[in-house]
Amino acid sequence: MQKSCFWLKVEKIYMQNYLHIGRATDLLDKKDRRLYRALEIMPGFLAWLTIFLVVALSFFTPVFMAIFIIAFDVYWLIKTVYLSLHLRVSYNKLKQNLKINWLNKLNQLPITNYRLQGLRSWQDIYHFLFLPIYKEDYSIIASTMEGLLKTNYPKNKMVVAICWEERGGKETEDIVREVENNYKNAFLDLVSIMHPANLSDEIPGKGSNTAYAAKLVKESIVDARRIPYEHILVSNFDIDTVVFPEYFGVLTHTFLTTENPLRASYQPIPLYVNNIWEAPSFARVVAFAATFWHTVKQEKSETATTFSSHSMPFQALVDVGFWQKNMVSEDSRIFWQCFLRYDGDYKVTPLFYPVSMDANVALTNIQTLKNVYKQQRRWAYGAENIPYFMFGFMKNKTIPLFKKWHYGFMVIEGNHSWATNALLIFALGWLPVFLGGQEFNRTVLSFNLPYLTRIIMTLSMLGLVSSAVLSIVLLPPRPLKYGKFKYFWMLVQWILFPATTIFLGSIPALEAQTRLMLGKYMGFWVTPKSRSTS
């Protein structure tokens, strides 16, 4: 029995070594490295195989392909209706939560209802905020800080860490000093931590920056003040994140009432509306599409992962060794680190509450277009998590098999759909007509294929009506420099949805997966922030 326990401990330590794999080249064992490399190839290979088969089958078996395309379009119509219903349910919950005074709810919550032992009051919960900075203007940082000040959570229970990059230069350092001078006495503590440039075994970016800061905060504040780890919630925010006044109230309430609260991350809904009036129409469509997708995921949280700005227990962060410093998509990777560390006993709990963030806006429309593409490509590079968790699933025998299959299928299918669905729907549906030959083109099916496809996709596009209406409802107040006619363009812009879905959705996703497949690993691209000063 003692020998069995010993080997269980050895296996657990062995497993811990894999929590911080960034890519196949990080592995020393040749067999493991080859396996991990094969898993890196898989997402891109599946996407390109799908495209190749659609083209080849349109040439060799156009009748089968035409039937498949019609069936796929019907599936997409059903899926659109299904997602639209989830969107409306999530949005209604969001509206309801915005009306609630969450501190009052906390005061009314009996201590016996707390799912966390040892708490005397909800005010024993501390919030640590990590704000990574790299060359952003002072105005953007100040709006984030002002948002924190406007929250109604006790400021003596909030610690803010300004995590700034040395490679941002003297200008970034001066801005950080100005932030310190203006806000240093507003919270229990406000610290600025410089992330040194050119550290070994790192990819410069949000993950490596905040991981470096979190380790120092743990030593200098948490441990020095003897704050229990399980009483701390960490929020790792993008620097353009502006929280709503009740954010920390709803977060604390959800934390205290969630079953096994230390085994969950807490996900708000990102509203990309801070500068939405300034954004070009195509950037607005992409921004709202991202908001709608993450709103839907709140209602379908059984296989959700963390994204962008979110919150999690400090205890979990310590247990997994903080965010990874050698990969790009740290926001979703931290979920998989916890999922593997706790043998599948980890989940995302939706807040049904928003935070507002910036839409992608640059000084010119052309530069905005380039930036939107790069941002979408970086988000889609989250496919790097597929080899990570698949490899972890193979190594960790404790995770229930059902969870492995369920999460594995949903995440792989989601990334595959991201890279291929829009191409299949809008671009490849006509291939049997063009490639099927004269014999196929004389059939009734050939004649009716474009007609049937057009009808089904028109019905699917009706789902955009609810999206268009919600996009108006979610808008912040209209700046005076824009006339009321601007609302009309906010509705008309949705005719761009098919084009943006292909060129600013599928294609950057396909590129990201292809880069991973070929071993042309990406670095972390920081989205430039731009807002009007008028």
Side-chain angles (χ1 to χ4, degrees), residues 133-154:
I133 295 174
Y134 176 65
K135 292 187 175 180
E136 286 82 15
D137 291 341
Y138 175 81
S139 60
I140 292 174
I141 304 169
S143 68
T144 298
M145 299 301 295
E146 291 297 324
L148 295 177
L149 289 181
K150 291 176 183 177
T151 60
N152 57 2
Y153 201 84

Side-chain angles (χ1 to χ4, degrees), residues 422-434:
L423 294 174
L424 294 178
I425 293 168
F426 297 113
L428 304 183
W430 291 74
L431 281 177
V433 176
F434 291 116

Side-chain angles (χ1 to χ4, degrees), residues 29-56:
D29 183 86
K30 287 185 179 180
K31 183 179 179 180
D32 283 344
R33 187 163 62 246
R34 288 169 183 166
L35 173 60
Y36 200 97
R37 185 72 193 100
L39 294 173
E40 288 180 335
I41 292 170
M42 182 180 64
F45 174 77
L46 290 177
W48 281 110
L49 178 63
T50 299
I51 294 171
F52 171 78
L53 287 176
V54 168
V55 175

